[in-house]
Coordinates of all heavy atoms in Angstrom, one line a residue:
M1 N 0.9 21.7 -10.3 CA 2.1 21.0 -10.8 C 2.1 19.7 -10.3 O 2.1 19.4 -9.0 CB 3.3 21.8 -10.7 CG 4.6 21.1 -11.4 SD 6.1 22.1 -11.3 CE 5.9 23.1 -12.9
N2 N 2.5 18.7 -11.1 CA 2.6 17.2 -10.6 C 3.9 17.2 -9.7 O 4.9 17.8 -10.0 CB 2.7 16.5 -11.8 CG 2.9 14.9 -11.6 OD1 3.7 14.5 -10.7 ND2 2.2 14.1 -12.3
P3 N 3.9 16.4 -8.6 CA 5.1 16.2 -7.8 C 6.2 15.8 -8.5 O 7.4 16.1 -8.2 CB 4.6 15.4 -6.7 CG 3.2 15.4 -6.6 CD 2.7 15.8 -8.0
L4 N 6.1 14.8 -9.5 CA 7.2 14.3 -10.3 C 7.8 15.5 -11.1 O 9.1 15.5 -11.3 CB 6.8 13.3 -11.3 CG 6.1 12.1 -10.7 CD1 5.6 11.0 -11.6 CD2 7.3 11.3 -9.9
D5 N 7.0 16.4 -11.6 CA 7.6 17.6 -12.4 C 8.4 18.4 -11.4 O 9.5 19.0 -11.8 CB 6.3 18.4 -13.0 CG 5.7 17.6 -14.0 OD1 6.2 16.6 -14.6 OD2 4.5 17.8 -14.3
L6 N 7.8 18.7 -10.2 CA 8.5 19.5 -9.3 C 9.9 19.0 -9.0 O 10.9 19.7 -8.8 CB 7.7 19.6 -7.9 CG 6.6 20.5 -8.1 CD1 5.7 20.3 -6.7 CD2 7.0 22.0 -8.1
A7 N 10.0 17.6 -8.8 CA 11.3 17.0 -8.5 C 12.2 16.8 -9.8 O 13.2 16.3 -9.7 CB 11.1 15.8 -7.7
R8 N 11.6 17.1 -10.9 CA 12.2 16.7 -12.1 C 12.6 15.3 -12.2 O 13.7 14.8 -12.8 CB 13.4 17.7 -12.4 CG 13.0 19.1 -12.5 CD 14.3 19.9 -12.9 NE 13.9 21.4 -12.8 CZ 14.8 22.3 -12.6 NH1 15.9 22.1 -12.4 NH2 14.3 23.6 -12.7
A9 N 11.7 14.5 -11.7 CA 11.9 13.1 -11.7 C 11.6 12.4 -13.1 O 10.8 12.9 -13.7 CB 11.0 12.3 -10.6
R10 N 12.4 11.5 -13.4 CA 12.2 10.7 -14.6 C 12.1 9.2 -14.3 O 13.0 8.5 -14.4 CB 13.3 10.9 -15.6 CG 13.4 12.4 -16.0 CD 14.4 12.4 -17.1 NE 14.8 13.8 -17.3 CZ 15.8 14.2 -18.0 NH1 16.8 13.4 -18.4 NH2 15.9 15.4 -18.2
P11 N 10.8 8.8 -13.8 CA 10.7 7.5 -13.3 C 10.7 6.5 -14.5 O 10.3 6.9 -15.6 CB 9.3 7.4 -12.7 CG 8.6 8.5 -13.3 CD 9.7 9.7 -13.6
G12 N 10.9 5.2 -14.3 CA 11.1 4.3 -15.4 C 9.6 3.9 -15.7 O 8.6 4.6 -15.4
T13 N 9.5 2.8 -16.5 CA 8.2 2.4 -17.2 C 7.3 1.9 -16.1 O 7.6 1.1 -15.3 CB 8.4 1.4 -18.1 OG1 9.4 1.7 -19.1 CG2 7.1 1.0 -18.9
P14 N 6.0 2.4 -16.0 CA 5.0 2.0 -15.1 C 4.7 0.5 -15.3 O 4.9 -0.1 -16.3 CB 3.8 2.8 -15.5 CG 4.2 4.0 -16.3 CD 5.5 3.4 -16.9
F15 N 4.2 0.0 -14.3 CA 3.8 -1.5 -14.2 C 2.5 -1.6 -13.5 O 2.0 -0.6 -12.9 CB 4.8 -2.5 -13.7 CG 5.2 -2.1 -12.3 CD1 4.7 -2.5 -11.2 CD2 6.4 -1.2 -12.1 CE1 5.1 -2.2 -9.9 CE2 6.8 -0.9 -10.8 CZ 6.3 -1.4 -9.6
T16 N 1.8 -2.8 -13.5 CA 0.7 -3.0 -12.8 C 0.7 -4.0 -11.7 O 1.6 -4.9 -11.7 CB -0.5 -3.4 -13.8 OG1 -0.1 -4.6 -14.4 CG2 -0.7 -2.3 -14.7
L17 N -0.1 -3.8 -10.6 CA -0.3 -4.7 -9.6 C -1.8 -4.6 -9.4 O -2.5 -3.9 -10.0 CB 0.6 -4.4 -8.4 CG 0.6 -2.9 -7.9 CD1 -0.6 -2.6 -7.1 CD2 1.9 -2.7 -7.2
T18 N -2.1 -5.5 -8.4 CA -3.7 -5.4 -8.1 C -3.8 -5.1 -6.7 O -3.1 -5.4 -5.7 CB -4.3 -6.7 -8.3 OG1 -3.8 -7.7 -7.6 CG2 -4.3 -7.1 -9.9
F19 N -4.9 -4.4 -6.3 CA -5.3 -4.1 -5.0 C -6.8 -4.6 -4.9 O -7.7 -4.1 -5.6 CB -5.3 -2.6 -4.6 CG -5.9 -2.4 -3.2 CD1 -5.3 -2.8 -2.2 CD2 -7.1 -1.7 -3.2 CE1 -5.9 -2.6 -0.9 CE2 -7.7 -1.5 -2.0 CZ -7.1 -1.9 -0.7
D20 N -7.1 -5.7 -4.1 CA -8.4 -6.3 -4.1 C -8.9 -6.6 -5.4 O -10.2 -6.3 -5.8 CB -9.4 -5.4 -3.2 CG -8.9 -5.4 -1.6 OD1 -8.1 -6.2 -1.3 OD2 -9.5 -4.5 -1.0
E21 N -8.2 -7.2 -6.2 CA -8.4 -7.5 -7.6 C -8.5 -6.3 -8.5 O -9.0 -6.6 -9.7 CB -9.6 -8.4 -7.6 CG -9.3 -9.8 -6.8 CD -10.4 -10.7 -6.8 OE1 -11.3 -10.6 -7.6 OE2 -10.4 -11.6 -6.0
R22 N -8.4 -5.2 -8.1 CA -8.5 -4.0 -9.0 C -7.1 -3.6 -9.4 O -6.1 -3.6 -8.7 CB -9.0 -2.8 -8.1 CG -8.8 -1.4 -8.8 CD -9.3 -0.4 -8.0 NE -8.8 1.0 -8.4 CZ -8.9 2.0 -7.6 NH1 -9.4 2.1 -6.5 NH2 -8.3 3.2 -8.1
R23 N -6.9 -3.5 -10.8 CA -5.6 -3.3 -11.4 C -5.2 -1.8 -11.1 O -6.1 -0.9 -11.4 CB -5.6 -3.6 -12.9 CG -5.7 -5.0 -13.2 CD -5.8 -5.3 -14.7 NE -4.8 -4.7 -15.5 CZ -3.7 -5.3 -15.9 NH1 -3.6 -6.6 -15.5 NH2 -2.8 -4.8 -16.7
I24 N -4.0 -1.6 -10.6 CA -3.5 -0.2 -10.4 C -2.1 -0.1 -11.1 O -1.5 -1.1 -11.2 CB -3.6 0.3 -9.0 CG1 -2.6 -0.5 -8.1 CG2 -5.0 0.3 -8.4 CD1 -2.5 0.1 -6.8
E25 N -1.7 1.2 -11.4 CA -0.5 1.3 -12.0 C 0.4 1.8 -10.9 O 0.1 2.6 -10.0 CB -0.7 2.4 -13.1 CG 0.5 2.4 -14.1 CD 0.2 3.2 -15.3 OE1 0.3 4.5 -15.1 OE2 -0.3 2.7 -16.2
A26 N 1.8 1.4 -11.0 CA 2.8 1.8 -10.1 C 4.0 2.2 -10.8 O 4.2 1.8 -12.1 CB 3.0 0.8 -9.1
L27 N 4.9 3.0 -10.3 CA 6.2 3.3 -10.8 C 7.3 2.6 -10.1 O 7.3 2.6 -8.9 CB 6.3 4.9 -10.8 CG 5.4 5.7 -11.5 CD1 5.5 7.2 -11.3 CD2 5.5 5.4 -13.1
P28 N 8.4 2.4 -10.9 CA 9.5 1.8 -10.2 C 10.0 2.8 -9.1 O 10.1 4.0 -9.2 CB 10.7 1.8 -11.3 CG 9.8 1.8 -12.6 CD 8.6 2.5 -12.4
G29 N 10.4 2.0 -8.0 CA 10.8 2.8 -6.7 C 9.7 3.2 -5.8 O 10.0 3.6 -4.7
Q30 N 8.5 3.0 -6.2 CA 7.4 3.4 -5.2 C 7.2 2.2 -4.4 O 7.4 1.1 -4.5 CB 6.0 3.5 -6.0 CG 5.9 4.8 -6.6 CD 4.5 5.0 -7.2 OE1 3.9 4.1 -7.8 NE2 3.9 6.2 -7.1
T31 N 6.9 2.6 -3.1 CA 6.5 1.6 -2.2 C 5.0 1.2 -2.4 O 4.4 1.8 -3.2 CB 6.4 2.2 -0.7 OG1 5.5 3.2 -0.6 CG2 7.8 2.4 -0.3
V32 N 4.6 0.1 -1.8 CA 3.1 -0.3 -1.9 C 2.2 0.8 -1.5 O 1.2 1.3 -2.3 CB 2.8 -1.6 -1.2 CG1 1.2 -1.8 -1.0 CG2 3.5 -2.7 -1.7
A33 N 2.5 1.6 -0.4 CA 1.7 2.7 0.1 C 1.6 3.8 -1.0 O 0.6 4.3 -1.3 CB 2.2 3.2 1.4
A34 N 2.9 4.2 -1.5 CA 2.9 5.2 -2.6 C 2.0 4.9 -3.8 O 1.4 5.7 -4.4 CB 4.3 5.4 -3.0
A35 N 2.1 3.6 -4.2 CA 1.3 3.1 -5.3 C -0.1 3.2 -5.0 O -1.0 3.7 -5.8 CB 1.7 1.7 -5.7
L36 N -0.6 2.8 -3.8 CA -2.0 2.8 -3.5 C -2.4 4.3 -3.3 O -3.5 4.7 -3.9 CB -2.2 2.1 -2.2 CG -2.0 0.7 -2.2 CD1 -2.2 0.0 -0.7 CD2 -2.9 -0.1 -3.2
W37 N -1.7 5.2 -2.8 CA -2.0 6.5 -2.7 C -2.2 7.3 -4.1 O -3.1 8.0 -4.3 CB -0.9 7.4 -2.0 CG -1.2 7.5 -0.5 CD1 -2.2 7.2 0.2 CD2 -0.4 8.2 0.5 NE1 -2.1 7.5 1.5 CE2 -1.1 8.1 1.7 CE3 0.8 8.9 0.3 CZ2 -0.5 8.8 2.9 CZ3 1.3 9.5 1.5 CH2 0.8 9.4 2.8
S38 N -1.2 6.8 -5.0 CA -1.4 7.4 -6.3 C -2.6 7.0 -7.0 O -3.0 7.6 -7.9 CB -0.1 6.9 -7.1 OG 1.1 7.4 -6.6
A39 N -3.2 5.8 -6.6 CA -4.4 5.4 -7.2 C -5.6 5.9 -6.5 O -6.7 5.5 -6.8 CB -4.3 3.8 -7.3
G40 N -5.3 6.8 -5.5 CA -6.4 7.3 -4.8 C -7.0 6.5 -3.6 O -8.1 6.7 -3.2
I41 N -6.2 5.5 -3.2 CA -6.6 4.5 -2.2 C -5.9 5.0 -0.9 O -4.6 5.0 -0.9 CB -6.2 3.0 -2.6 CG1 -7.0 2.7 -3.8 CG2 -6.5 2.2 -1.4 CD1 -6.4 1.5 -4.6
T42 N -6.7 5.2 0.1 CA -6.0 5.8 1.4 C -6.1 4.9 2.6 O -5.5 5.1 3.6 CB -6.6 7.2 1.7 OG1 -7.9 7.1 1.8 CG2 -6.2 8.1 0.6
S43 N -6.9 3.8 2.4 CA -7.0 2.9 3.6 C -7.0 1.5 3.1 O -7.7 1.2 2.0 CB -8.3 3.1 4.4 OG -9.5 2.8 3.7
W44 N -6.3 0.5 3.7 CA -6.2 -0.8 3.3 C -6.0 -1.8 4.5 O -5.7 -2.9 4.4 CB -5.0 -0.9 2.3 CG -3.8 -0.3 2.8 CD1 -2.9 -0.9 3.7 CD2 -3.2 1.0 2.5 NE1 -1.8 0.0 4.0 CE2 -2.0 1.1 3.2 CE3 -3.7 1.9 1.6 CZ2 -1.3 2.2 3.1 CZ3 -2.9 3.1 1.5 CH2 -1.8 3.3 2.3
R45 N -6.6 -1.3 5.6 CA -6.6 -2.3 6.7 C -7.7 -1.9 7.6 O -8.2 -0.8 7.6 CB -5.3 -2.2 7.5 CG -5.2 -3.0 8.9 CD -3.8 -3.0 9.5 NE -3.6 -1.7 10.4 CZ -4.0 -1.5 11.6 NH1 -4.8 -2.6 12.2 NH2 -3.8 -0.4 12.3
T46 N -8.2 -2.9 8.3 CA -9.3 -2.5 9.3 C -8.7 -2.9 10.7 O -8.0 -4.1 10.9 CB -10.6 -3.2 9.1 OG1 -10.4 -4.7 9.1 CG2 -11.2 -2.7 7.8
T47 N -9.2 -2.2 11.8 CA -8.6 -2.7 13.1 C -9.3 -3.8 13.7 O -10.4 -4.3 13.2 CB -8.9 -1.3 14.1 OG1 -10.3 -1.0 14.2 CG2 -8.0 -0.2 13.6
R48 N -8.5 -4.6 14.7 CA -8.9 -5.8 15.2 C -10.3 -5.6 15.8 O -11.3 -6.4 15.7 CB -8.1 -6.4 16.1 CG -6.8 -6.9 15.5 CD -5.7 -7.4 16.4 NE -5.2 -6.1 17.0 CZ -4.2 -6.2 17.8 NH1 -3.8 -7.3 18.3 NH2 -3.6 -5.0 18.2
D49 N -10.5 -4.7 16.7 CA -11.7 -4.6 17.5 C -12.9 -3.9 17.0 O -14.0 -4.4 17.0 CB -11.4 -4.0 18.8 CG -10.4 -4.8 19.8 OD1 -10.4 -6.1 19.5 OD2 -9.6 -4.3 20.6
E50 N -12.7 -2.9 16.3 CA -13.8 -2.1 15.7 C -14.0 -2.1 14.3 O -14.9 -1.4 13.8 CB -13.7 -0.7 16.4 CG -13.9 -0.7 17.9 CD -13.8 0.7 18.4 OE1 -14.2 1.7 18.0 OE2 -13.3 0.9 19.7
G51 N -13.0 -2.6 13.7 CA -13.1 -2.7 12.1 C -12.9 -1.2 11.5 O -13.4 -1.0 10.4
R52 N -12.2 -0.4 12.2 CA -12.0 1.0 11.6 C -10.9 1.1 10.5 O -9.9 0.3 10.6 CB -11.6 1.9 12.6 CG -12.8 2.1 13.7 CD -12.4 3.0 14.7 NE -13.6 3.4 15.5 CZ -13.8 4.6 16.0 NH1 -13.0 5.6 15.8 NH2 -15.0 4.9 16.5
P53 N -11.1 1.8 9.5 CA -10.1 1.8 8.4 C -8.8 2.5 8.8 O -8.7 3.5 9.6 CB -10.8 2.7 7.4 CG -11.7 3.5 8.2 CD -12.2 2.8 9.3
R54 N -7.7 2.0 8.3 CA -6.4 2.5 8.5 C -5.6 2.5 7.2 O -5.8 1.8 6.4 CB -5.7 1.7 9.6 CG -6.1 1.8 11.0 CD -5.9 3.1 11.6 NE -6.4 3.2 12.9 CZ -7.6 3.6 13.4 NH1 -8.5 3.9 12.3 NH2 -7.9 3.7 14.6
G55 N -4.6 3.3 7.1 CA -3.6 3.4 6.0 C -2.3 3.9 6.6 O -1.9 3.5 7.6
V56 N -1.6 4.8 6.0 CA -0.3 5.4 6.4 C -0.6 6.4 7.5 O -1.5 7.2 7.4 CB 0.4 6.1 5.2 CG1 1.4 6.9 5.7 CG2 0.9 5.0 4.3
F57 N 0.2 6.2 8.5 CA 0.2 7.3 9.6 C 1.6 7.9 9.6 O 1.7 9.0 9.3 CB -0.2 6.7 10.9 CG -0.2 7.8 12.1 CD1 -1.2 8.6 12.0 CD2 0.8 7.7 13.0 CE1 -1.2 9.6 13.0 CE2 0.8 8.6 14.1 CZ -0.3 9.6 14.1
C58 N 2.6 7.1 10.0 CA 4.0 7.7 10.1 C 4.8 7.6 8.8 O 5.5 8.5 8.5 CB 4.9 6.9 11.1 SG 5.4 5.3 10.6
G59 N 4.5 6.7 7.9 CA 5.1 6.6 6.6 C 6.5 6.3 6.6 O 7.2 6.3 5.7
I60 N 7.1 5.8 7.9 CA 8.6 5.5 7.9 C 8.7 4.0 8.6 O 9.8 3.9 9.1 CB 9.3 6.6 8.7 CG1 8.8 6.8 10.1 CG2 9.3 7.9 7.8 CD1 9.6 7.9 10.9
G61 N 7.7 3.3 8.7 CA 8.0 1.9 9.3 C 7.9 1.9 10.7 O 8.2 0.8 11.3
V62 N 7.4 2.8 11.4 CA 7.3 2.8 12.9 C 6.1 2.5 13.6 O 6.0 1.6 14.5 CB 7.9 4.2 13.5 CG1 7.8 4.2 15.0 CG2 9.2 4.5 13.0
C63 N 4.9 2.9 13.0 CA 3.6 2.8 13.7 C 3.0 1.5 13.5 O 2.0 1.1 14.2 CB 2.8 3.9 13.5 SG 2.1 4.0 11.7
F64 N 3.2 0.9 12.2 CA 2.5 -0.3 12.0 C 0.9 -0.1 11.5 O 0.2 -1.1 11.5 CB 2.7 -1.5 12.8 CG 4.0 -2.0 12.9 CD1 5.2 -1.4 13.5 CD2 4.3 -3.3 12.5 CE1 6.4 -1.8 13.6 CE2 5.6 -3.8 12.5 CZ 6.6 -3.0 13.1
D65 N 0.6 1.1 11.3 CA -0.8 1.3 10.9 C -1.1 0.9 9.6 O -2.1 0.7 9.1 CB -1.1 2.8 11.0 CG -2.1 3.2 12.2 OD1 -2.4 2.2 13.0 OD2 -2.6 4.3 12.2
C66 N 0.0 0.7 8.8 CA -0.2 0.6 7.3 C -0.1 -0.9 6.9 O 0.0 -1.2 5.7 CB 0.8 1.4 6.5 SG 2.5 0.8 6.8
L67 N -0.4 -1.8 7.8 CA -0.2 -3.2 7.5 C -1.3 -3.7 6.4 O -2.4 -3.2 6.3 CB -0.6 -4.0 8.8 CG 0.5 -3.9 9.9 CD1 0.0 -4.7 11.1 CD2 1.9 -4.2 9.5
V68 N -0.7 -4.5 5.5 CA -1.5 -5.0 4.4 C -1.0 -6.4 4.0 O 0.0 -6.9 4.5 CB -1.3 -3.9 3.2 CG1 0.2 -4.1 2.6 CG2 -2.3 -4.1 2.0
T69 N -1.8 -7.0 3.3 CA -1.5 -8.4 2.8 C -0.9 -8.3 1.4 O -1.5 -7.7 0.5 CB -2.7 -9.4 2.8 OG1 -3.2 -9.4 4.2 CG2 -2.4 -10.8 2.4
V70 N 0.3 -8.8 1.2 CA 1.0 -8.8 0.0 C 1.3 -10.2 -0.5 O 2.0 -11.0 0.3 CB 2.4 -8.0 0.1 CG1 3.1 -7.9 -1.3 CG2 2.1 -6.6 0.5
D71 N 0.9 -10.6 -1.6 CA 0.9 -12.0 -2.1 C 0.8 -13.0 -1.1 O 1.5 -13.9 -0.9 CB 2.5 -12.1 -2.8 CG 2.6 -11.2 -3.9 OD1 1.7 -11.0 -4.6 OD2 3.7 -10.8 -4.3
G72 N -0.4 -12.9 -0.4 CA -0.8 -13.8 0.5 C 0.0 -13.7 2.0 O -0.3 -14.4 2.9
R73 N 0.8 -12.8 2.2 CA 1.6 -12.6 3.4 C 0.9 -11.4 4.2 O 1.1 -10.3 3.7 CB 3.0 -12.4 3.2 CG 3.8 -13.5 2.6 CD 5.3 -13.2 2.2 NE 5.2 -12.3 1.0 CZ 5.8 -11.1 0.9 NH1 6.6 -10.7 1.9 NH2 5.8 -10.5 -0.2
P74 N 0.4 -11.7 5.3 CA -0.2 -10.5 6.0 C 0.8 -9.8 6.8 O 2.0 -10.2 6.9 CB -1.3 -11.3 7.0 CG -0.6 -12.6 7.3 CD 0.1 -13.0 5.9
N75 N 0.3 -8.5 7.3 CA 1.2 -7.8 8.2 C 2.5 -7.3 7.5 O 3.5 -7.1 8.2 CB 1.6 -8.6 9.5 CG 0.3 -9.0 10.2 OD1 -0.6 -8.1 10.5 ND2 0.1 -10.2 10.6
Q76 N 2.4 -6.9 6.3 CA 3.4 -6.3 5.6 C 3.3 -4.7 5.7 O 2.1 -4.3 5.5 CB 3.6 -6.6 4.1 CG 3.6 -8.2 3.9 CD 4.9 -8.8 4.5 OE1 6.0 -8.4 4.2 NE2 4.7 -9.6 5.5
R77 N 4.3 -4.0 6.0 CA 4.2 -2.6 6.2 C 4.1 -1.9 4.8 O 5.3 -1.9 4.2 CB 5.3 -2.0 7.1 CG 4.9 -2.2 8.5 CD 6.2 -1.9 9.4 NE 7.2 -2.9 9.2 CZ 8.4 -2.8 9.8 NH1 8.7 -1.7 10.6 NH2 9.3 -3.6 9.7
A78 N 3.0 -1.4 4.3 CA 2.9 -0.8 3.1 C 3.9 0.3 2.9 O 4.3 0.6 1.6 CB 1.5 -0.4 2.7
C79 N 4.2 1.0 3.8 CA 5.2 2.2 3.7 C 6.6 1.8 3.4 O 7.4 2.7 3.1 CB 5.0 3.1 4.8 SG 5.7 2.5 6.3
L80 N 6.9 0.5 3.6 CA 8.3 0.0 3.4 C 8.5 -1.0 2.2 O 9.6 -1.1 1.6 CB 8.8 -0.7 4.7 CG 8.9 0.1 5.9 CD1 9.5 -0.6 7.1 CD2 9.7 1.4 5.7
V81 N 7.4 -1.8 2.0 CA 7.5 -2.8 0.9 C 7.5 -2.2 -0.5 O 6.6 -1.5 -0.7 CB 6.3 -3.9 1.1 CG1 6.3 -4.7 -0.1 CG2 6.3 -4.4 2.4
P82 N 8.5 -2.5 -1.2 CA 8.5 -2.1 -2.6 C 7.5 -2.6 -3.4 O 7.1 -3.8 -3.3 CB 9.9 -2.5 -3.1 CG 10.7 -2.9 -2.0 CD 9.7 -3.3 -0.9
A83 N 6.7 -1.8 -4.3 CA 5.8 -2.2 -5.3 C 6.4 -3.0 -6.3 O 7.6 -2.7 -6.7 CB 5.0 -1.0 -5.7
E84 N 5.9 -4.1 -6.6 CA 6.5 -5.0 -7.7 C 5.4 -5.4 -8.7 O 4.2 -5.6 -8.3 CB 7.0 -6.3 -7.1 CG 8.3 -6.0 -6.1 CD 8.9 -7.2 -5.6 OE1 8.4 -8.4 -6.0 OE2 9.9 -7.2 -4.8
S85 N 5.9 -5.6 -9.9 CA 5.0 -5.9 -11.0 C 4.2 -7.2 -10.7 O 4.9 -8.1 -10.3 CB 5.7 -6.0 -12.3 OG 4.9 -6.5 -13.4
G86 N 2.8 -7.2 -10.8 CA 2.1 -8.4 -10.6 C 1.7 -8.8 -9.2 O 1.1 -9.7 -8.9
A87 N 2.2 -7.9 -8.3 CA 1.9 -8.2 -6.8 C 0.4 -8.2 -6.6 O -0.4 -7.4 -7.3 CB 2.6 -7.2 -5.9
E88 N 0.0 -9.1 -5.7 CA -1.5 -9.1 -5.3 C -1.6 -8.5 -3.9 O -1.2 -9.1 -2.9 CB -2.0 -10.5 -5.4 CG -2.1 -11.1 -6.7 CD -2.6 -12.5 -6.8 OE1 -3.2 -13.0 -5.7 OE2 -2.5 -13.1 -7.9
I89 N -2.0 -7.3 -3.8 CA -2.2 -6.6 -2.7 C -3.7 -6.7 -2.1 O -4.6 -6.4 -3.0 CB -1.8 -5.1 -2.7 CG1 -0.6 -4.8 -3.5 CG2 -2.0 -4.3 -1.3 CD1 0.6 -5.5 -2.9
R90 N -3.9 -7.0 -0.9 CA -5.3 -7.2 -0.4 C -5.4 -6.4 0.8 O -4.5 -6.2 1.7 CB -5.6 -8.7 -0.1 CG -5.5 -9.5 -1.2 CD -6.2 -10.8 -1.2 NE -6.4 -11.5 -2.5 CZ -7.5 -11.3 -3.2 NH1 -8.3 -10.4 -3.0 NH2 -7.5 -11.9 -4.5
T91 N -6.6 -5.9 1.1 CA -7.0 -5.2 2.3 C -6.9 -6.3 3.4 O -7.2 -7.5 3.3 CB -8.5 -4.9 2.3 OG1 -8.7 -3.9 1.5 CG2 -9.1 -4.3 3.7
Q92 N -6.3 -5.8 4.6 CA -6.1 -6.7 5.7 C -7.2 -6.5 6.7 O -7.3 -5.3 7.3 CB -4.7 -6.6 6.3 CG -4.5 -7.5 7.4 CD -3.0 -7.5 8.0 OE1 -2.1 -7.7 7.2 NE2 -2.8 -7.5 9.2
E93 N -7.9 -7.5 7.1 CA -9.0 -7.4 8.1 C -8.4 -7.9 9.5 O -7.8 -9.0 9.6 CB -10.2 -8.4 7.8 CG -10.7 -8.1 6.4 CD -11.4 -6.8 6.2 OE1 -11.9 -6.2 7.2 OE2 -11.6 -6.4 5.0
G94 N -8.4 -7.1 10.6 CA -7.9 -7.4 11.9 C -6.4 -7.8 11.8 O -5.6 -7.1 11.3
T95 N -6.1 -9.0 12.3 CA -4.8 -9.5 12.3 C -4.2 -10.1 11.1 O -3.1 -10.3 10.9 CB -4.5 -10.7 13.5 OG1 -5.4 -11.8 13.0 CG2 -5.0 -10.2 14.8
G96 N -5.1 -10.2 10.1 CA -4.6 -10.7 8.9 C -4.7 -12.3 8.7 O -4.5 -12.9 7.7
H97 N -5.1 -12.8 9.9 CA -5.0 -14.3 10.0 C -6.4 -14.7 10.2 O -7.2 -14.2 10.8 CB -4.2 -14.8 11.1 CG -2.9 -14.5 11.0 ND1 -1.9 -15.1 10.2 CD2 -2.1 -13.5 11.6 CE1 -0.7 -14.6 10.3 NE2 -0.7 -13.5 11.2
D98 N -6.8 -15.8 9.4 CA -8.3 -16.2 9.6 C -8.6 -16.9 10.9 O -7.6 -17.5 11.6 CB -8.5 -17.4 8.6 CG -8.5 -16.8 7.1 OD1 -8.7 -15.7 6.9 OD2 -8.3 -17.7 6.2
G99 N -9.8 -16.6 11.5 CA -10.1 -17.2 12.7 C -9.9 -16.4 13.9 O -9.4 -15.5 14.1
Ligands
FES101 S1 2.8 4.0 8.1 FE1 3.8 3.8 10.0 S2 4.8 1.9 9.7 FE2 3.8 2.3 7.7

């Protein structure tokens, strides 16, 4: 059974955003992390030293593992930032700053 069915949720109209230029669908009220997970995407950052993949760890804004670039702003916590229509989400490499 779908989790939305389990909770008897009635989300609003889906909208789209992009992740690394791939269009994905999100629901009102979802965070960026939830939207990415719903699309089957589980990592969206690489570590500074070894380039290892990272995504959600704590899911509550504490660990900073889920950092992502949102509309050109690096270091946004995907587990806290609300998904918005037309947002451009990008994988964050290292610190998210060039150089
Ligand atoms: S998953 Fe820990 S801060 Fe987002």
Side-chain angles (χ1 to χ4, degrees):
M1 180 176 269
N2 182 317
L4 294 174
D5 296 334
L6 283 171
R8 296 184 185 155
R10 294 184 189 166
T13 306
F15 56 87
T16 59
L17 49 81
T18 60
F19 174 69
D20 291 346
E21 301 183 15
R22 168 184 162 192
R23 289 172 59 93
I24 65 171
E25 197 169 85
L27 294 171
Q30 283 186 317
T31 62
V32 167
L36 294 176
W37 267 0
S38 295
I41 300 162
T42 56
S43 67
W44 47 82
R45 176 175 83 84
T46 58
T47 58
R48 283 175 286 180
D49 294 332
E50 298 183 30
R52 294 183 167 215
R54 292 290 184 271
V56 167
F57 182 67
C58 73
I60 58 172
V62 175
C63 72
F64 289 72
D65 248 13
C66 65
L67 297 178
V68 70
T69 299
V70 179
D71 293 331
R73 290 173 291 129
N75 299 311
Q76 304 300 302
R77 285 173 285 177
C79 69
L80 297 182
V81 175
E84 293 186 1
S85 178
E88 293 181 13
I89 314 300
R90 293 195 174 277
T91 294
Q92 180 168 318
E93 309 289 342
T95 64
H97 299 284
D98 294 337

